[in-house]
Amino acid sequence: ASSTEGIVVDEPDDDTKDKLLGQILFGASDEDTGYIDQRQPEKVAARALIRPETSQTDAPLLPVGDGAVYEVLYDRVAIRSAASTTATTLEIKQKGESLELFEWDASRKWRRCAADVLATTAGWVLLDHPEFGPLVRPK
């Protein structure tokens, strides 16, 4: 336990720290029952862990080199497993990094992108956040 201005604060154990980190990175909650396949949108609930689309082989899922190159404008941007701010975070891109973006989602607020170097995992990036403003823009 540590004390800050007379307030005693218990240090969380390693399991609690791991759970909190998972909630921060992946949006997990106590109600999560596991992964949900993003191809079944009727089953996607808020804060659910959504399984990303991945290649069954080592072949890229996206036509790397044919997309539009965008730059991250905000401090950091999450690549998510589905076009939703509550979907699982697959990767974080920092301000100034480049992203190659592909097709749009139905709302035209999200674009598909590679979530790994080999493009064997596909994710989604939000272009503009309603509170934080522009996140990524064409380079």
Side-chain angles (χ1 to χ4, degrees):
S2 62
S3 177
T4 305
E5 297 180 22
I7 299 171
V8 177
V9 179
D10 289 330
E11 187 70 26
D13 62 23
D14 288 341
D15 288 339
T16 302
K17 287 180 186 177
D18 288 345
K19 183 175 181 180
L20 290 172
L21 180 59
Q23 289 173 341
I24 290 167
L25 292 175
F26 304 113
S29 70
D30 290 338
E31 292 80 34
D32 289 333
T33 58
Y35 288 100
I36 295 174
D37 190 323
Q38 68 177 344
R39 293 167 291 195
Q40 298 173 336
E42 69 280 358
K43 293 186 179 181
V44 176
R47 305 200 43 86
L49 294 177
I50 301 170
R51 184 179 306 281
E53 184 180 353
T54 56
S55 175
Q56 299 301 317
T57 66
D58 288 336
L61 286 173
L62 302 169
V64 177
D66 292 340
V69 178
Y70 277 59
E71 181 179 358
V72 175
L73 299 182
Y74 198 69
D75 292 340
R76 58 188 174 275
V77 172
I79 296 175
R80 302 207 177 256
S81 60
S84 168
T85 56
T86 59
T88 306
T89 300
L90 303 174
E91 178 72 37
I92 300 289
K93 294 292 184 180
Q94 303 296 325
K95 185 174 186 170
E97 287 190 71
S98 293
L99 289 165
E100 188 175 8
L101 303 184
F102 300 92
E103 70 262 20
W104 297 84
D105 77 322
S107 73
R108 297 195 55 85
K109 294 179 182 180
W110 296 80
R111 288 194 72 176
R112 200 162 181 225
C113 63
D116 62 351
V117 176
L118 300 175
T120 57
T121 302
W124 293 88
V125 66
L126 181 63
L127 277 65
D128 294 287
H129 191 278
E131 183 179 341
F132 306 124
L135 301 177
V136 298
R137 283 295 179 266
K139 204 163 186 182

